[in-house]
Amino acid sequence: MAQAKINAKANEGRFCRSSSMADRSSRLLESLDQLELRVEALREAATAIEQEKEILLEMIHSIQNSQDMRQISDGEREELNLTANRLMGRTLTVEVSVETIRNPQQQESLKHATRIIDEVVNKFLDDLGNAKSHLMSLYSACSSEVPHGPVDQKFQSIVIGCALEDQKKIKRRLETLLRNIENSDKAIKLLEPSKGASSKTLQQNAESRFN
């Protein structure tokens, strides 16, 4: 009888220790789950800052190369460019980097996709119209919407092999390039009647913004 009580006491102690360890493990897991949410929120916030930086730089470039900037006096233009350059310099002081975790296949896919886009960008001066059409087909390959034109199937398969974050960045880069081309086209159409500016010269001015 006494032995039975001793055994029962020992079992009770083991049960208490086991229950305490399970509770502690559960609390730790809950803490890590909460931290994971905060980590993801941090990455999203940093990514948003990265995108805002890109947008600000693009807007500053757009103002510097706008038609309005060409239709003011040299003195006013110089003053505005100084302000724009100051804003650009301050924007560039903001350094935010969100590293994407990739496996070897995703890394190779990203390099391949980047190389294809770079090759198109390098052809801007030679044939802007054809380069724009090529970029449109690349962009359609990244879009989830019904494409309005041809889709580069090979590029699409390459992008699918990239990490999800890289897919979003590739699409954003293509959007930026297409906007820059559109702005350059508008500037060319506005300037040709009044100044007879050549599209070659304007494309050279814009090319520095495309990368």
Side-chain angles (χ1 to χ4, degrees):
M1 189 72 175
Q3 185 63 38
K5 288 183 178 181
I6 293 173
N7 291 338
K9 200 77 172 178
N11 289 334
E12 182 181 349
R14 282 197 297 270
F15 176 77
C16 289
R17 286 195 297 273
S18 177
S19 176
S20 176
M21 290 174 64
D23 291 342
R24 189 177 296 113
S25 176
S26 179
R27 288 195 302 272
L28 291 171
L29 180 59
E30 183 179 352
S31 296
L32 288 173
D33 287 341
Q34 293 174 353
L35 287 171
E36 183 174 15
L37 294 176
R38 293 179 63 179
V39 167
E40 291 307 312
L42 173 65
R43 288 179 61 86
E44 289 176 4
T47 299
I49 293 175
E50 275 189 326
Q51 294 176 17
E52 178 66 8
K53 178 180 177 181
E54 293 173 4
I55 292 171
L56 288 172
L57 291 173
E58 183 182 347
M59 291 176 69
I60 294 170
H61 276 304
S62 178
I63 290 174
Q64 287 183 307
N65 293 278
S66 67
Q67 175 69 5
D68 288 339
M69 187 69 86
R70 296 184 177 93
Q71 294 182 336
I72 59 179
S73 68
D74 292 342
E76 290 173 323
R77 187 184 308 112
E78 182 179 358
E79 184 177 346
L80 291 174
N81 272 322
L82 286 173
T83 300
N85 288 333
R86 177 176 60 80
L87 292 175
M88 186 178 301
R90 288 180 60 81
T91 304
L92 291 172
T93 63
V94 178
E95 292 289 343
V96 181
S97 179
V98 181
E99 297 295 332
T100 300
I101 300 174
R102 311 178 184 93
N103 60 37
Q105 180 182 354
Q106 291 171 333
Q107 182 70 37
E108 189 59 33
S109 294
L110 176 61
K111 288 181 180 179
H112 196 174
T114 302
R115 185 165 60 249
I116 290 174
I117 298 175
D118 288 343
E119 288 173 354
V120 178
V121 170
N122 291 333
K123 295 177 181 177
F124 279 160
L125 295 181
D126 296 328
D127 189 348
L128 185 60
N130 186 56
K132 181 179 179 180
S133 298
H134 195 171
L135 281 180
M136 285 295 298
S137 69
L138 297 182
Y139 178 75
S140 296
C142 300
S143 178
S144 58
E145 301 176 358
V146 178
H148 298 291
V151 177
D152 191 315
Q153 300 289 344
K154 179 181 178 181
F155 185 73
Q156 187 175 58
S157 65
I158 294 171
V159 172
I160 290 175
C162 295
L164 182 59
E165 291 179 359
D166 288 329
Q167 292 180 25
K168 294 177 181 179
K169 289 181 179 180
I170 290 170
K171 184 178 179 181
R172 286 204 308 272
R173 185 186 178 195
L174 291 170
E175 288 174 343
T176 300
L177 289 169
L178 287 169
R179 278 198 303 271
N180 287 338
I181 289 178
E182 186 66 26
N183 291 337
S184 294
D185 284 344
K186 289 179 180 178
I188 290 168
K189 291 176 182 177
L190 286 169
L191 283 176
E192 277 181 342
S194 59
K195 297 184 178 180
S198 68
S199 60
K200 185 79 171 180
T201 301
L202 287 170
Q203 289 170 22
Q204 288 174 334
N205 292 335
E207 196 267 347
S208 61
R209 301 187 284 128
F210 288 148
N211 290 312

